[in-house]
Amino acid sequence: GALYLRAENEWIDAANSGGWKMNVFRCAGLYGDGRSALHTIRKRGVQHEKNKTSNMKIGNPTSRIHEKDAARAILSAMLISDETGGDTSCKRYNLADDNPAPRNEVMAFGHELLDDSNLLPSETPKPSSRRRPSEREKRRKTDKKRVENKRMKESLLPEGLLYPTYREGLKAVLDINKEKWR
């Protein structure tokens, strides 16, 4: 947190001293085609993900955003910059969808989508030898990464998100990959 904020402020200072237009985009957990709960389940196997998520405490909400919504927000900011001309004030935008959710909830929904489409992996990879959890895995158990997206929605995407929650986003990811996964 503090290191990121310091880096943002240094970039903003540099932009201000140079008279450049700059915005800061703080992107929540990015997912889309090639990187999603569905891909994780298919790669690591059903039982692995079931065990992993069942051991997690319910209620560690994390914000996410579909890659298309993140791209739309950034593109919108670029177009607004062109329209405003001389406005060089820096704005910070949190790029996130409307529904922060615990990882186990997202994985359970992904499992349900794959099961309903008969796309669950037929074989579960054998678990590798027990290893220590990574720092990232440890943080997932305690982190609460809830992000406010009001400025993004009002300023950059007033027409709304294409994927307001992980549910719509994962359904779109499934639609893109159905044929490949059959």
Side-chain angles (χ1 to χ4, degrees):
L3 187 60
Y4 287 118
L5 187 59
R6 189 172 123 211
E8 283 178 9
N9 289 332
E10 287 176 11
W11 276 106
I12 291 167
D13 290 345
N16 288 338
S17 66
W20 310 317
K21 172 71 175 167
M22 184 184 133
N23 290 312
V24 173
F25 300 98
R26 298 171 176 164
C27 195
L30 193 62
Y31 72 95
D33 185 30
R35 179 182 170 142
S36 74
L38 304 176
H39 291 83
T40 301
I41 293 167
R42 290 190 50 84
K43 178 182 174 187
R44 295 188 182 159
V46 177
Q47 198 57 45
H48 173 78
E49 285 306 316
K50 270 188 167 179
N51 289 341
K52 205 167 157 186
T53 58
S54 66
N55 292 330
M56 291 181 70
K57 291 187 297 185
I58 304 243
N60 294 330
T62 300
S63 292
R64 297 165 178 76
I65 189 165
H66 191 284
E67 62 191 7
K68 287 183 181 178
D69 281 325
R72 289 175 59 237
I74 294 168
L75 189 59
S76 177
M78 292 167 64
L79 295 173
I80 289 169
S81 288
D82 286 347
E83 292 169 5
T84 59
D87 179 13
T88 58
S89 62
C90 174
K91 300 203 177 31
R92 297 175 202 236
Y93 296 99
N94 293 326
L95 306 184
D97 71 16
D98 294 333
N99 185 25
R103 183 175 195 273
N104 56 341
E105 179 182 314
V106 176
M107 296 305 282
F109 182 73
H111 182 276
E112 183 182 312
L113 282 178
L114 289 170
D115 192 28
D116 289 349
S117 301
N118 295 316
L119 293 172
L120 282 173
S122 55
E123 289 185 27
T124 302
K126 299 265 187 248
S128 57
S129 62
R130 274 184 79 71
R131 61 175 180 77
R132 289 184 165 177
S134 69
E135 288 303 312
R136 183 177 182 186
E137 289 169 325
K138 288 178 192 174
R139 280 194 320 265
R140 279 186 179 150
K141 293 180 182 180
T142 58
D143 279 358
K144 292 176 178 68
K145 297 181 181 177
R146 199 179 288 252
V147 177
E148 172 61 52
N149 66 4
K150 183 178 178 183
R151 175 180 279 172
M152 174 198 70
K153 287 173 52 179
E154 289 176 353
S155 302
L156 304 178
L157 299 174
E159 69 283 0
L161 294 160
L162 295 175
Y163 310 102
T165 76
Y166 69 86
R167 291 177 179 277
E168 293 87 2
L170 288 181
K171 286 176 185 175
V173 170
L174 179 65
D175 288 343
I176 290 169
N177 287 286
K178 267 184 182 174
E179 292 307 312
K180 182 172 38 174
W181 289 343
R182 290 211 184 275

Short mmCIF file of all heavy atoms in Angstrom, two decimals, residues 21 80-88:
data_model
loop_
_atom_site.label_atom_id
_atom_site.label_comp_id
_atom_site.label_asym_id
_atom_site.label_seq_id
_atom_site.Cartn_x
_atom_site.Cartn_y
_atom_site.Cartn_z
N LYS A 21 -0.33 15.35 -19.05
CA LYS A 21 -1.60 14.77 -18.59
C LYS A 21 -1.33 13.35 -18.14
O LYS A 21 -0.66 12.59 -18.84
CB LYS A 21 -2.62 14.79 -19.74
CG LYS A 21 -3.91 14.07 -19.47
CD LYS A 21 -4.76 14.80 -18.49
CE LYS A 21 -6.09 14.09 -18.35
NZ LYS A 21 -6.83 14.51 -17.25
N ILE A 80 -11.28 11.10 -23.07
CA ILE A 80 -11.63 12.28 -22.28
C ILE A 80 -10.44 13.24 -22.26
O ILE A 80 -10.60 14.45 -22.38
CB ILE A 80 -12.04 11.89 -20.84
CG1 ILE A 80 -13.40 11.19 -20.87
CG2 ILE A 80 -12.08 13.11 -19.93
CD1 ILE A 80 -13.78 10.53 -19.55
N SER A 81 -9.23 12.72 -22.15
CA SER A 81 -8.02 13.55 -22.16
C SER A 81 -7.93 14.36 -23.44
O SER A 81 -7.60 15.54 -23.42
CB SER A 81 -6.76 12.68 -22.04
OG SER A 81 -6.63 12.18 -20.77
N ASP A 82 -8.22 13.72 -24.56
CA ASP A 82 -8.17 14.42 -25.84
C ASP A 82 -9.20 15.54 -25.89
O ASP A 82 -8.94 16.61 -26.42
CB ASP A 82 -8.42 13.45 -27.00
CG ASP A 82 -7.23 12.55 -27.27
OD1 ASP A 82 -6.13 12.84 -26.75
OD2 ASP A 82 -7.40 11.57 -28.00
N GLU A 83 -10.38 15.29 -25.32
CA GLU A 83 -11.46 16.27 -25.37
C GLU A 83 -11.22 17.47 -24.46
O GLU A 83 -11.66 18.57 -24.74
CB GLU A 83 -12.79 15.61 -24.99
CG GLU A 83 -13.27 14.59 -26.00
CD GLU A 83 -14.42 13.75 -25.49
OE1 GLU A 83 -14.92 14.01 -24.37
OE2 GLU A 83 -14.82 12.83 -26.20
N THR A 84 -10.53 17.25 -23.32
CA THR A 84 -10.35 18.33 -22.36
C THR A 84 -9.17 19.23 -22.69
O THR A 84 -9.03 20.29 -22.09
CB THR A 84 -10.19 17.79 -20.92
OG1 THR A 84 -9.07 16.92 -20.89
CG2 THR A 84 -11.45 17.08 -20.47
N GLY A 85 -8.32 18.80 -23.60
CA GLY A 85 -7.21 19.64 -24.03
C GLY A 85 -6.26 20.03 -22.94
O GLY A 85 -5.40 19.27 -22.55
N GLY A 86 -6.40 21.22 -22.39
CA GLY A 86 -5.43 21.77 -21.46
C GLY A 86 -5.51 21.26 -20.04
O GLY A 86 -4.64 21.59 -19.23
N ASP A 87 -6.50 20.48 -19.68
CA ASP A 87 -6.62 19.99 -18.31
C ASP A 87 -5.53 18.96 -18.04
O ASP A 87 -5.53 17.87 -18.60
CB ASP A 87 -7.99 19.37 -18.08
CG ASP A 87 -8.16 18.83 -16.66
OD1 ASP A 87 -7.33 19.15 -15.79
OD2 ASP A 87 -9.13 18.10 -16.44
N THR A 88 -4.58 19.31 -17.20
CA THR A 88 -3.50 18.38 -16.88
C THR A 88 -3.63 17.81 -15.47
O THR A 88 -2.69 17.21 -14.96
CB THR A 88 -2.12 19.06 -17.03
OG1 THR A 88 -2.08 20.19 -16.16
CG2 THR A 88 -1.86 19.47 -18.46
#
